[in-house]
Amino acid sequence: MTLPFADDLTALRAVASHEGTGLCTIVGIEGSFSRRLGAQLAVLPDGSVAGSLADGCLERELASEVLAGGAPRVLRYGAGSPKIDFRLPCGGGLDILIDPAPDRTAAQAVLTRLDAREEAALVLPEPSPMAGRRYVPQLRLVLLGEGSELAALEHIGAQAGIAVESHGRETLALGTRPDHLIADRWTAVALMFHDHEWERAILDWALRTPAFFIGAQGGAPARATREAALVEAGFDPRQVARVASPIGTVKHSREPAGLALSVLAAIAGAYELRHPHHRDR
């Protein structure tokens, strides 16, 4: 689906798809800013932009710089900038790499790797203080369960632009591990069952995957029974602790939509912290 807002790869897709598109990358942040290190904005030949750096005035300024052409360069905006008539609302300072002619082939290669669910990096030209901009595969959500909670999580996740794979009881076999499913390290697995008998085989599968998030709904009695069953099945308590339960950021949500939003908030937060540029700062 087409999102009404830019995601992390919007600028890169524009560079890969449109010849003559320039690329701006945040390569340094001093103080506070609402985008991460490595955030990008593409400037198309007609002056339109793809991506988002949160500040319209800044984006227009960058578009002018890209359209002026020239060699790659790093410009400071905000605090410490010689552009005394241009300030950022947050009061911080940004170092932004202006690359009027980025490598389209390299951008296309990055997208190919990401489509294959592999991490990738785009080499940034000198004088960038960052050697490259690293990317991770997009968040994927594998849902298993029943009822309104499953339907709400599937609907809201899809509307948020997340790749959602949903499995109800009719597509599963009680007591059988769903080994035909795939969960990589950029996948979150959420179990939304009221009948917790369905969980054991599914968790046996999920805990053997590198999924970055595994969660299951259920009250205190269900959680205690679940944990005991997994330990009895041979899982180390540290493995069992991978199962987030109660699931979500709001621990006692009682409405399907509220629970779905709570679960997605927890998953989105865990996924964001895995982004490599959090570790680069």
Side-chain angles (χ1 to χ4, degrees), residues 198-234:
W198 283 83
E199 294 177 346
R200 181 166 175 173
I202 296 171
L203 287 173
D204 187 283
W205 161 78
L207 288 170
R208 298 174 194 274
T209 75
F212 77 89
F213 179 97
I214 301 170
Q217 73 173 4
R223 294 197 298 273
T225 301
R226 177 192 299 134
E227 291 169 6
L230 289 171
V231 171
E232 183 181 353

Side-chain angles (χ1 to χ4, degrees), residues 142-145 189-193 198-200 202-203 206 214-217 247:
V142 174
L143 306 178
L144 308 103
V189 177
L191 280 65
M192 311 300 289
F193 288 99
W198 283 83
E199 294 177 346
R200 181 166 175 173
I202 296 171
L203 287 173
I214 301 170
Q217 73 173 4
I247 190 171

Side-chain angles (χ1 to χ4, degrees), residues 4-89:
F5 52 86
D7 67 10
D8 192 46
L9 297 178
T10 298
L12 186 70
R13 292 191 194 99
V15 170
S17 303
H18 302 284
E19 189 172 356
T21 297
L23 186 63
C24 304
T25 306
I26 296 179
V27 293
I29 300 177
E30 178 184 336
S32 175
F33 193 63
S34 58
R35 292 291 185 269
R36 68 164 73 95
L37 190 68
Q40 293 180 309
L41 183 79
V43 180
L44 280 69
D46 64 0
S48 62
V49 300
S52 172
L53 295 187
D55 185 293
C57 292
L58 174 61
E59 292 176 357
R60 288 189 291 273
E61 175 76 12
L62 293 174
S64 297
E65 285 287 344
V66 168
L67 294 177
R73 53 200 180 273
V74 174
L75 299 180
R76 165 59 71 108
Y77 291 92
S81 172
K83 299 176 180 288
I84 60 174
D85 59 342
F86 190 94
R87 290 290 179 263
L88 298 175

